[in-house]
Amino acid sequence: MPGLEESLYALEWNNIVSVAIITLISYEYMLQFGKEVTFVWERQWSVMTYLYLAVRYLGIVHAMYVAVIVSFRRCFVCYGMFLFMKWSFSAYICLAEVILIWRLYVLYNQSKLILYVLLGLFLPIVALYIWVNIFLWSRPSAISVQEIIITPNIKYCTTFYHIGPMPALYASIPVICYDIFLVVLAIAVLVKHLKERKGLKMKPNTYVVMIVQYHVIYFVLNLASHIFMAILWAHLSTAVRYLVLLFKNTAPLIIAPRLIISIWDTHANENCVHVSTTFEDCVCWTSPPELEQPEISSRV
């Protein structure tokens, strides 16, 4: 009887989290759809547009897979979907990192050196994600998916972690260090910008401040995601485990595309009088103090 009660309790949490994920992702999509039409589908596409669409719709597909995975009763199907879920989330995080790299490239005046250094350091991170997905998430000896039979008509699949959190924790350290490096570069360019503006007695550029703020938010989200992915390997209570899964499979997927849209939305309400073709998408750079006319940059 205790085993039956525990299984029913886990199934209840499973259903609650599934409904919550579908509700949050669907509601967010409906909220942002009008802005997406305005800033994506009715405009000429740029690099940032493609990145936005990638994180937007890969995130939706990933979230819906997570939400409906318990509907499949045959565990070999469930296990395949579980692997897809892990690989798609890693791809999503990598795309979010590419957005940060691209914005730093623009903030540093399209410095090829910055771009090559960031991409050169990013490639080992991608390789690390692939290794983690193969070594931790794809090995039955490390993690398995088993079918829980409550009654002949009530079945669901759940995951069992067979090793501790330390391998996942160690694997996350290089990624966190790389994220810290990106944040430091973003803060450095903001400090330089603030000093220059202070010397000219001008207000800081709104978009430079926004982009750096978003770098910090990305960093916090990525840090939380890696910590949560690591502690999933620990023996957590049912409620805590499902709450961690709810956060990991909603917050990053909602925040990343929303931050891109928010910059476009802010830019749409600005009166930028000079359009530059040097950039693409949406950063207004302020002209010299005697003109005080912002210029549109559209790569970020």
Side-chain angles (χ1 to χ4, degrees):
M1 190 66 178
L4 176 60
E5 292 179 354
E6 182 180 351
S7 297
L8 288 173
Y9 182 66
L11 180 60
E12 181 181 7
W13 267 102
N14 213 336
N15 294 337
I16 291 172
V17 168
S18 297
V19 172
I21 291 174
I22 293 174
T23 302
L24 289 172
I25 296 298
S26 300
Y27 181 65
E28 166 66 14
Y29 183 77
M30 290 186 290
L31 282 180
Q32 300 299 318
F33 182 71
K35 294 179 180 179
E36 180 180 311
V37 171
T38 301
F39 302 127
V40 176
W41 303 110
E42 295 181 354
R43 290 178 52 181
Q44 184 178 357
W45 287 13
S46 65
V47 173
M48 189 55 65
T49 307
Y50 290 107
L51 290 174
Y52 166 80
L53 291 173
V55 296
R56 178 67 157 173
Y57 288 97
L58 178 59
I60 291 174
V61 170
H62 170 83
M64 293 308 171
Y65 257 80
V66 172
V68 303
I69 192 172
V70 295
S71 300
F72 291 86
R73 298 179 179 177
R74 303 183 69 179
C75 276
F76 75 91
V77 176
C78 194
Y79 184 68
M81 294 184 68
F82 172 80
L83 292 180
F84 174 83
M85 179 180 66
K86 294 303 178 183
W87 282 87
S88 65
F89 187 75
S90 296
Y92 183 91
I93 295 297
C94 288
L95 286 171
E97 298 280 6
V98 171
I99 293 173
L100 300 184
I101 292 171
W102 186 257
R103 285 182 165 167
L104 281 174
Y105 166 65
V106 174
L107 287 181
Y108 277 87
N109 298 318
Q110 296 178 284
S111 169
K112 297 294 184 182
L113 176 61
I114 288 291
L115 181 62
Y116 295 152
V117 168
L118 294 179
L119 289 177
L121 294 174
F122 180 60
L123 290 178
I125 298 298
V126 174
L128 179 62
Y129 274 115
I130 295 173
W131 178 85
V132 169
N133 285 332
I134 293 175
F135 181 77
L136 293 182
W137 300 112
S138 300
R139 289 192 309 136
S141 59
I143 187 171
S144 61
V145 178
Q146 298 182 19
E147 186 179 54
I148 303 298
I149 302 175
I150 298 177
T151 70
N153 296 321
I154 303 177
K155 306 175 184 178
Y156 74 100
C157 292
T158 188
T159 53
F160 291 90
Y161 299 87
H162 305 305
I163 60 177
M166 298 313 295
L169 187 61
Y170 290 145
S172 68
I173 292 176
V175 181
I176 294 173
C177 291
Y178 183 75
D179 289 340
I180 292 174
F181 179 57
L182 296 182
V183 170
V184 169
L185 288 178
I187 293 175
V189 77
L190 175 62
V191 170
K192 180 182 177 182
H193 175 75
L194 292 177
K195 288 181 178 180
E196 291 175 351
R197 289 308 177 96
K198 185 177 180 180
L200 296 172
K201 297 182 180 179
M202 296 172 62
K203 292 182 179 180
N205 185 290
T206 303
Y207 297 93
V208 174
V209 177
M210 286 179 65
I211 291 170
V212 175
Q213 288 176 343
Y214 292 167
H215 267 73
V216 175
I217 294 173
Y218 274 129
F219 168 72
V220 173
L221 279 176
N222 288 341
L223 179 62
S225 296
H226 286 294
I227 292 174
F228 288 156
M229 287 178 68
I231 65 175
L232 280 175
W233 293 87
H235 297 290
L236 302 175
S237 66
T238 299
V240 173
R241 180 161 62 92
Y242 279 104
L243 287 174
V244 167
L245 289 172
L246 176 62
F247 173 86
K248 186 179 76 68
N249 293 301
T250 53
L253 311 181
I254 290 174
I255 295 298
R258 176 176 276 265
L259 295 184
I260 299 175
I261 283 284
S262 65
I263 291 184
W264 291 340
D265 190 32
T266 302
H267 167 63
N269 296 316
E270 290 287 336
N271 296 318
C272 297
V273 298
H274 177 63
V275 179
S276 170
T277 56
T278 304
F279 300 97
E280 304 171 34
D281 267 1
C282 60
V283 173
C284 288
W285 304 98
T286 304
S287 302
E290 65 269 19
L291 297 178
E292 277 294 312
Q293 293 180 344
E295 174 186 341
I296 297 177
S297 164
S298 56
R299 284 196 184 232
V300 234

